[in-house]
Amino acid sequence: MVMRIFNKLFLFLFCCLFSCEVFASSANISLDKKVLTEADILTLTLSYNGTDGATPDLSGLQNDFQIVSNSTSQRINYINGVVQQTKQWSFGLRPLRTGKITINPIRIGNVRSNYEEIEVKEVSDVAFVPDSQENSNSPYFQINMDYEPKSPYLQQQTTLLVTIYDSLGLKNSALDITEETKNNWAILPLLSKPVVKRTTLNNKNVNAITYAFAAFPLKDGNIPAPQFLFDGAYIKNSDFGFPRIFDDFMAFGIDFQNVMGQQVPVNMKTKPFQITVKESPAGFSGKWLPLYDLSIKSSWTSSSKFKVGEAVSRKITVTASGISKDMFPELTFPDIDGFKQYPEKPELEMTVNDGKLVTAATINIVYIPTKSGHFVFPAQEIDWFNVQTGLFEKATLPAEEVEILINPSVGQNISQPTPVMETTPQQDTISPASSDFSENGKTSTANPDTLPLSDMMFYCFIFVAFLLGFLLFGLLLWLKNVLSKQNRSYYRKQVVNAVKQGDFKAVQKALLEWGRFKFGVDLIKNLKQLAELADDDKFSQQLDALNEALYAGTAKNFDAATFIALFKKIDRQKKTLRENKEILPNLYD
């Protein structure tokens, strides 16, 4: 009897202990990858099975990772009268160092999770396919940079050729440059799109995608060469038997190659090395212009015979090879006796010729002769340094002789304006009829405060024309504002409707169209570039979640309501891009 009671008591205690074990709180972490590069984002998922409201302690991650995104989900189950609650956190982690990293157990309340180990590799000029047997000696992707000349002068144009070797078909890819490069070099694209050709590399048939850039060293001495970063992806296991002609085929908004595979990131950067930049030659004290060629020429709007008081225009064009318009020097022109001159703001135009940036500056100068006679426009010179010969040269605008004739309606000459008149710029452009001279060339004794009838009609005409122009300008601004609001409303509705319908492919397309309109940048090809332009961390996190929904096939981290609220906030903001902000062209999609 006692034995039977003891057995029942033991069985009861065992069941109680077993029940506690089954329903005890637990935590577990899982990773989307175990090997990654320093440019990759690691997704860590933390699952917690417990009934309390504890939150994870992430302090152990901060020494090795930067947390760039996070999301939370929760699931509650009711089984056999017992409530089970499972909470899940997902964190996007950017590694802060390379090598092997141990992710220590994460504590939630009184529970500790398991630990994981990963390996972070340094980004190099090659990239391999994960789990491939050929990785030891045959990378699938490679980036290379060549340049000319090998030892440029300070601020001399250096031509860079950056080539991406692609054996699998890259998607959503782009180039960027490091912060150190921005401190040492000014870089501009020479081509609007890359040159693509087929070649062989590492016994593989590959696409060679070559970009051309003009780089100007901002410092002399031994400085780091420009370093380019590549960020892209390819589709793994996408060869479902589709012929190559279907690589770019889409039906009903579906990219078949993307649907049948998983997006795998590819990150590379060009090899680091030093470039020796030569300083400007000793003893030179003028404006330093290291160029391949420089020319200057002029032309008149009329013949070389002019009349006193009649305005004429002279167009001077300076063309320089091997310089960008941002580095073009300011041009000045000395005063010339017998003339009033009014130079206008130069018009700068930049083109590419034979691999060189060519900037042409056109300056229009209005001259008003103030007296008759024979005059000489002196020769003008611009000193520059020929980087091909290593010699200083002069671009010369030859002297020109002009004959100023007497103007019967003005006289032999025009007196110089009084100091009071000089304080009002409009006095310099008054019609000759309002000067201090009469038609017969003698000094007039008329009341200076009384204007002739012709002058009054002229000023009335100017006033009416100005008023009409002002009204027309206001009308155009109003129309532009109305059309802009209509277009903005159209693009906003396209995005919001696509999100509400859950069509992520349509959301991506509508977002890119909205971004091109919003920021005025035609080169937006992917959501990564859009996130950089929007410059909002929370919006970037939602764009990452959208990318995950597009390519990983899961929308667990994408919150439609949160996304729409953030999107409308960005849409309402006034965004002004810096004029010199560099947006390097993207690879082919």
Side-chain angles (χ1 to χ4, degrees), residues 3 51 205 278 374 418 451 481 497 588:
M3 193 66 179
T51 57
N205 292 324
K278 294 180 286 190
H374 186 79
T418 65
L451 291 175
N481 186 46
N497 290 339
Y588 59 99

Side-chain angles (χ1 to χ4, degrees), residues 176-429:
D176 201 355
I177 55 178
T178 63
E179 290 300 321
E180 186 178 27
T181 297
K182 296 176 183 179
N183 295 331
N184 295 320
W185 300 82
I187 297 180
L188 295 172
L190 287 173
L191 301 176
S192 58
K193 59 182 179 180
V195 176
V196 182
K197 66 177 182 179
R198 296 288 290 179
T199 187
T200 302
L201 181 69
N202 301 322
N203 298 319
K204 291 185 178 70
N205 292 324
V206 299
N207 282 331
I209 308 105
T210 301
Y211 291 90
F213 299 92
F216 300 88
L218 305 178
K219 303 175 183 178
D220 55 26
N222 292 326
I223 65 174
Q227 195 166 28
F228 287 82
L229 305 173
F230 173 82
D231 179 20
Y234 73 94
I235 306 301
K236 184 179 180 181
N237 299 328
S238 61
D239 50 345
F240 191 66
F242 293 110
R244 294 292 297 177
I245 59 173
F246 289 107
D247 281 355
D248 296 321
F249 178 75
M250 294 185 67
F252 305 105
I254 301 175
D255 185 338
F256 284 97
Q257 296 294 337
N258 288 350
V259 168
M260 303 308 300
Q262 175 188 3
Q263 188 182 50
V264 180
V266 175
N267 300 107
M268 298 181 291
K269 64 180 177 182
T270 54
K271 290 183 177 179
F273 59 92
Q274 298 282 316
I275 292 181
T276 300
V277 179
K278 294 180 286 190
E279 63 181 357
S280 58
F284 179 73
S285 58
K287 175 65 178 179
W288 173 241
L289 291 176
L291 303 172
Y292 292 90
D293 192 21
L294 180 67
S295 63
I296 180 171
K297 62 181 181 179
S298 69
S299 61
W300 295 89
T301 56
S302 60
S303 64
S304 58
K305 292 185 178 181
F306 313 115
K307 294 181 180 180
V308 173
E310 290 186 354
V312 292
S313 294
R314 188 190 193 195
K315 183 178 292 184
I316 298 178
T317 302
V318 181
T319 304
S321 175
I323 191 172
S324 69
K325 64 180 182 180
D326 294 332
M327 304 174 69
F328 204 88
E330 182 180 358
L331 301 174
T332 59
F333 301 93
D335 293 335
I336 300 175
D337 183 42
F339 291 87
K340 296 179 183 179
Q341 65 179 30
Y342 305 92
E344 298 176 359
K345 185 178 180 180
E347 295 181 2
L348 296 174
E349 180 181 5
M350 192 167 62
T351 58
V352 177
N353 184 20
D354 194 24
K356 305 292 188 299
L357 280 179
V358 178
T359 299
T362 302
I363 306 97
N364 189 57
I365 306 176
V366 177
Y367 292 95
I368 300 179
T370 59
K371 54 186 175 181
S372 62
H374 186 79
F375 297 90
V376 176
F377 280 75
Q380 293 180 267
E381 296 179 339
I382 299 178
D383 294 322
W384 64 285
F385 182 77
N386 192 324
V387 295
Q388 299 179 100
T389 63
L391 301 173
F392 285 100
E393 298 187 15
K394 292 181 181 292
T396 302
L397 183 64
E400 293 188 61
E401 297 183 2
V402 295
E403 189 72 26
I404 307 300
L405 303 178
I406 298 175
N407 190 340
S409 62
V410 175
Q412 184 174 353
N413 52 37
I414 299 178
S415 64
Q416 295 299 322
T418 65
V420 175
M421 295 173 65
E422 288 180 356
T423 61
T424 308
Q426 289 79 358
Q427 296 294 334
D428 289 337
T429 57

Side-chain angles (χ1 to χ4, degrees), residues 508-538:
Q508 181 190 38
K509 180 180 178 182
L511 272 174
L512 295 179
E513 292 178 351
W514 168 82
R516 297 182 187 112
F517 172 79
K518 168 74 175 177
F519 301 106
V521 177
D522 295 333
L523 293 176
I524 301 178
K525 295 293 183 65
N526 53 55
L527 297 180
K528 182 177 182 295
Q529 291 178 333
L530 184 62
E532 293 175 353
L533 291 171
D535 195 20
D536 184 281
D537 292 340
K538 293 183 179 180

Side-chain angles (χ1 to χ4, degrees), residues 451-468:
L451 291 175
L453 181 60
S454 58
D455 282 355
M456 295 180 63
M457 295 179 63
F458 172 76
Y459 286 120
C460 288
F461 173 78
I462 292 296
F463 176 76
V464 172
F466 174 78
L467 182 60
L468 291 176

